[in-house]
Amino acid sequence: MHRFYVAPENWDPLGLALRGSEAHHARNVLRMQAGDKLVLFNGEGCELTAEITNVTVDEIRLRKLHESEMAPLRCRIVLGQAIPKGKNMDLIVQKAVEIGAAEIAPIISDRTIVQVDPESAAQKHAKWQQIAIEAAKQCGQNWLPRVHLPRRLDDFFATSATFDLRLIGSLQPDAQHLKEILADYSSEYRHLPESVLILIGPEGDFTPAELALARRHGCRPITLGPIILRVETAAIYCLSILSYELLM
């Protein structure tokens, strides 16, 4: 069945309705009618199956058939991604949602090529959050990842939440394999981390000053293997490994 997103503030199992762009998609694109069934989710773990009872120009009224809740993933993985050029950030956001990231923080680095002023930052943020919604609809993820407003690395560290483990993809010779870092963490704390930050640089990597800043904030450099990866590949690679090690 087709899945639709209803924001938490509009989530009312006793008075269900689709409005705005979601109603337009169901009515004008999918040509759904009274009697058709669909799935709704609110991005906070709730999902329900509903039947369309009435279709109007303004809204689509629904009747709840079944409701369920999905527990959060066992580890909160946050991707801090330096904004790459072109449309690569669109792909990274989409795949981050599919792999299980809880949050995506676009970083304006010293080597970011894309111009990001306050107006364009707001536009990009809205676009990326919508991409996250569409990805969650497609992959069956009922916990909608939050996409942050783009900000510089120092601002990110100044306002970010605490993490059990902070990592940064690195080409430096002292970078460790993730398995070694997780083994050290498990040995020290007797459990795996429940929240992890992974930072991925732009084309050309973070500058030495940015790498030093990340280290001062507790980021441990991890190696991505002997082959130099493209930005979008590096993000997917790191998230995939973290998902395998921490979400399974």
Side-chain angles (χ1 to χ4, degrees):
M1 287 183 285
H2 296 289
R3 283 167 50 87
F4 296 86
Y5 171 67
V6 176
E9 60 269 21
N10 299 323
W11 187 261
D12 179 9
L14 299 179
L16 290 173
L18 288 180
R19 300 180 179 89
S21 61
E22 293 289 72
H24 170 81
H25 185 69
R27 181 182 58 246
N28 295 32
V29 179
L30 299 176
R31 304 294 184 184
M32 300 187 78
Q33 302 175 354
D36 289 343
K37 296 179 177 60
L38 49 79
V39 174
L40 306 179
F41 72 105
N42 70 353
E44 294 184 344
C46 293
E47 176 186 279
L48 61 81
T49 303
E51 180 183 6
I52 296 176
T53 59
N54 190 33
V55 179
T56 69
V57 175
D58 298 321
E59 65 179 13
I60 296 177
R61 301 295 298 180
L62 305 164
R63 178 173 65 89
K64 183 178 76 170
L65 300 176
H66 173 73
E67 187 172 4
S68 62
E69 290 203 20
M70 175 188 289
L73 298 174
R74 67 161 303 279
C75 181
R76 180 173 66 94
I77 300 174
V78 176
L79 171 66
Q81 174 65 60
I83 302 171
K85 61 185 179 182
K87 295 184 177 180
N88 286 332
M89 192 67 186
D90 297 4
L91 175 66
I92 291 170
V93 170
Q94 180 189 68
K95 299 309 174 186
V97 175
E98 293 176 6
I99 296 171
E103 299 176 35
I104 303 158
I107 303 296
I108 304 170
S109 73
D110 292 340
R111 289 175 175 161
T112 293
I113 298 173
V114 179
Q115 295 297 315
V116 186
D117 55 42
E119 182 179 353
S120 64
Q123 293 173 347
K124 291 179 186 299
H125 171 257
K127 175 186 177 183
W128 292 330
Q129 188 64 70
Q130 186 59 40
I131 289 173
I133 290 172
E134 295 302 321
K137 288 163 66 173
Q138 288 290 327
C139 71
Q141 169 60 290
N142 289 331
W143 287 91
L144 179 64
R146 175 190 175 192
V147 180
H148 295 263
L149 277 165
R151 49 190 160 166
R152 299 197 66 83
L153 191 60
D154 52 353
D155 292 333
F156 170 75
F157 282 125
T159 57
S160 65
T162 58
F163 297 93
D164 292 341
L165 185 62
R166 297 185 177 203
L167 307 168
I168 183 169
S170 176
L171 300 173
Q172 302 300 310
D174 63 341
Q176 293 179 275
H177 289 280
L178 179 61
K179 276 189 174 293
E180 296 175 0
I181 293 176
L182 291 178
D184 291 344
Y185 185 96
S186 181
S187 176
E188 181 176 356
Y189 295 102
R190 303 300 178 186
H191 63 83
L192 289 171
E194 297 180 356
S195 59
V196 175
L197 167 68
I198 175 66
L199 290 175
I200 303 295
E203 295 86 353
D205 205 1
F206 288 116
T207 64
E210 289 171 327
L211 289 169
L213 174 66
R215 284 175 180 263
R216 289 198 300 273
H217 282 86
C219 291
R220 300 180 61 175
I222 63 169
T223 178
L224 307 187
I227 302 172
I228 297 177
L229 305 178
R230 293 171 61 94
V231 173
E232 64 274 22
T233 308
I236 295 170
Y237 175 88
C238 288
L239 288 173
S240 297
I241 295 175
L242 287 170
S243 175
Y244 178 80
E245 295 289 346
L246 301 176
L247 299 184
M248 299 300 181

